[in-house]
Amino acid sequence: MTYDMSSPTRPPQPGIRLRVDLDGDPHPRRSAKIEAHLQVDVAADGAPGDLPAAQLAVVIAVDVAESNRAAVRHALPAVLRALPDRISFAVLGSGPAPVRCYPRGDAEWAVADRDERRRAVFVAGSLPLHREGPRPAGYAAWVAASRALLVGRPVSVRHLVLITDGSSAAGETRLEAELDACAGQFTCHVFAVGADWDPDPLLTLAERLHGTAEFVDDGLGRAITAAIHRLRRVHTPQLPIDVTVRPAVRQVSLSERSPRPHRLGGLRLRGRPDRWSFPTHQWEQGRRDYLLTLVADADGDPLDTELQFAMVSIGDVHAPVTARWRLPGRLPPDAGAGAGSVRDLNDTARMGNALRRGLVAAEKNQREVAEECLGQAARLAVRLGTDWVLDVIRTVGEIGDFPETRVRLHHVDAGSLRPMILRAGSRTGWPPAGVVGARPGPRCGDCGHPAGREARFCIACGERLR
């Protein structure tokens, strides 16, 4: 079931088009699961091409040990020189606890111009970094120090750039509580340098703060500058997805699948038990994909009658989620018009999870677990045509022929796996390449079913591809 709706009167800024694909009709029972793919296309539609730099505030936090100063020696000055005029910025240096290094004095923020950039570059040359002695405070302290600065800055986009080499204590127990306090306050981009960092807390930071995490071996200054410039393409910093449900719906969950895979935290609106609001961040031109899951009871509902289970609202755009309690003998849910879309979303999430679990197991030298998980990821990648996943797996092992697609693990240095784990946790590969206009993969000559470019057998009929 597909709906393409927009406001008939005043279009939102930026322009939003919302499409809902439903995973067929459910069986009439208690706790029936209804899954829908929400595809959101965002166009500028009259919004300015770039957000004014005066509407941005950025904290640059350098969580790096003195022994790794070379990793940031040239990158940080280059980033500061490239800051656009009128952007608000502050620089935090390392020690037993984060310390504000720029601006100096009583001012919490600097506003970039030629003189401010020059002074900031000069200070960056003597930026304090972790030294031997007390264990650094941990990621929670960096987030807390950034929150203290960012929440009081009245601008549209507030962002943390965290550069870390893993020398900070993990701080897992405090990190979760601090991230709860930061919900909706600012976003984050994590840049990992060196070889001693743990991917898990970095992925947690990126997920909970609606950002990304990446490993940078070379070109750190260019990567950070590009990330800051991308912030200016954010037309709407925060926009909730509201879901209003009928009384029979008992549970609601929403997960973003692309571009930043993570589960969204929903809030029930006060006085409206039928309405859930899911905050989202950093809306820029392009496409987003979400998986909406409803748990509903059939109760006394009529069979084979179209019912509206929910209304999805984004800004001024609304789309219904409708389905029928199907009669006995009706086709199964995967025969629905949107079933392939929902199945691909779920398979993409499973592929990403399997890839990450396999790489983590390989890092821990758990060979059998790694090969099983990577094999599962490879089979899904072949079906979805997600070549980058296959490329990652080939760096650590050999992939056998489809449909078994067994993986035989090579001996791989654990340190070289961490960047792959970070990438697997930050990227899913949705939408499939064919959806966005890339060169399509082969089709089966017997049944015509599409196949991934690496496939040798048809997943539908089993015949060898020619």
Side-chain angles (χ1 to χ4, degrees):
M1 299 181 182
T2 299
Y3 303 88
D4 195 352
M5 305 181 65
S6 60
S7 170
T9 54
R10 180 175 59 87
Q13 298 294 320
I16 294 175
R17 296 174 66 245
L18 171 62
R19 174 186 172 101
V20 176
D21 288 329
L22 193 64
D23 188 13
D25 295 328
H27 282 293
R29 60 172 182 260
R30 290 191 64 82
S31 300
K33 185 167 72 171
I34 302 170
E35 291 185 313
H37 170 202
L38 311 183
Q39 178 182 319
V40 188
D41 292 300
V42 179
D45 286 359
D50 281 335
L51 195 69
Q55 289 299 313
L56 276 67
V58 177
V59 171
I60 303 172
V62 187
D63 173 33
V64 174
E66 179 64 41
S67 58
N68 280 330
R69 181 177 287 273
V72 296
R73 177 182 293 123
H74 301 295
L76 184 57
V79 169
L80 295 170
R81 291 189 192 99
L83 289 174
D85 284 342
R86 302 187 67 197
I87 190 174
S88 301
F89 73 98
V91 181
L92 300 181
S94 308
V99 57
R100 180 164 51 83
C101 300
Y102 197 85
R104 291 178 167 176
D106 296 332
E108 290 187 333
W109 291 95
V111 177
D113 59 22
R114 184 180 64 180
D115 290 338
E116 286 287 1
R117 285 191 292 264
R118 178 178 55 79
R119 286 191 290 266
V121 168
F122 178 79
V123 171
S126 57
L127 191 75
L129 301 179
H130 297 320
R131 296 181 181 272
E132 294 183 2
R135 182 71 169 166
Y139 295 122
W142 288 100
V143 175
S146 301
R147 177 168 63 90
L149 287 169
L150 287 164
V151 295
R153 195 64 174 173
V155 296
S156 297
V157 177
R158 298 187 291 265
H159 193 75
L160 165 63
V161 172
L162 175 63
I163 310 165
T164 182
D165 63 355
S167 58
S168 192
E172 288 88 351
T173 54
R174 290 182 51 217
L175 182 58
E176 288 294 335
E178 183 55 44
L179 290 174
D180 288 339
C182 294
Q185 301 293 335
F186 59 92
T187 54
C188 176
H189 198 133
V190 182
F191 292 93
V193 298
D196 297 325
W197 41 271
D198 180 1
D200 285 342
L202 305 189
L203 290 170
T204 298
L205 285 165
E207 178 176 334
R208 295 287 302 279
L209 296 177
H210 303 275
T212 55
E214 63 178 289
F215 167 72
V216 181
D217 186 33
D218 187 30
L220 177 63
R222 293 191 300 273
I224 297 174
T225 297
I228 293 174
H229 285 173
R230 281 197 301 272
L231 294 175
R232 300 188 65 184
R233 298 203 296 266
V234 175
H235 297 300
T236 305
Q238 183 172 356
L239 185 65
I241 298 178
D242 293 332
V243 182
T244 306
V245 299
R246 66 194 306 259
V249 176
R250 295 189 290 105
Q251 297 177 27
V252 182
S253 64
L254 186 66
S255 296
E256 183 174 319
R257 294 296 195 233
S258 173
R260 300 177 182 91
H262 64 285
R263 183 174 177 136
L264 300 177
L267 305 171
R268 263 185 171 163
L269 299 186
R270 182 175 299 176
R272 290 291 306 274
D274 62 332
R275 189 167 185 179
W276 294 75
S277 185
F278 296 88
T280 63
H281 300 266
Q282 290 195 7
W283 285 82
E284 56 186 271
Q285 188 169 350
R287 172 175 166 185
R288 291 191 178 202
D289 294 276
Y290 298 89
L291 182 68
L292 173 66
T293 303
L294 309 174
V295 176
D297 297 331
D299 292 332
D301 288 341
L303 301 181
D304 202 30
T305 300
E306 189 171 56
L307 303 169
Q308 181 174 312
F309 285 89
M311 176 67 77
V312 179
S313 304
I314 307 177
D316 292 336
V317 181
H318 313 277
V321 179
T322 62
R324 303 170 185 263
W325 295 116
R326 57 192 172 97
L327 293 167
R330 282 276 301 274
L331 292 174
D334 62 3
S341 172
V342 173
R343 184 174 61 248
D344 284 351
L345 273 184
N346 285 324
D347 284 350
T348 298
R350 283 192 285 269
M351 176 187 67
N353 290 335
L355 177 62
R356 182 178 172 183
R357 291 197 313 271
L359 294 172
V360 169
E363 183 189 24
K364 297 178 179 178
N365 202 28
Q366 299 171 347
R367 188 181 184 89
E368 291 184 5
V369 175
E371 291 180 343
E372 179 180 353
C373 293
L374 293 176
Q376 179 187 1
R379 286 187 291 275
L380 290 168
V382 168
R383 192 184 78 75
L384 295 167
T386 312
D387 290 346
W388 75 265
V389 171
L390 298 172
D391 291 340
V392 169
I393 296 174
R394 288 193 186 96
T395 64
V396 299
E398 295 179 4
I399 303 176
D401 290 342
F402 190 83
E404 290 83 4
T405 321
R406 292 192 176 93
V407 172
R408 189 175 69 178
L409 200 65
H410 297 153
H411 175 72
V412 184
D413 176 66
S416 66
L417 291 169
R418 295 189 189 109
M420 301 181 200
I421 296 170
L422 205 61
R423 186 185 186 199
S426 297
R427 177 179 175 183
T428 64
W430 177 268
V435 174
V436 294
R439 181 174 61 86
R443 286 183 174 269
C444 177
D446 293 288
C447 71
H449 193 280
R453 288 196 288 273
E454 300 295 328
R456 299 188 182 185
F457 293 87
C458 177
I459 195 170
C461 66
E463 294 297 321
R464 179 179 288 275
L465 298 173
R466 296 187 290 273

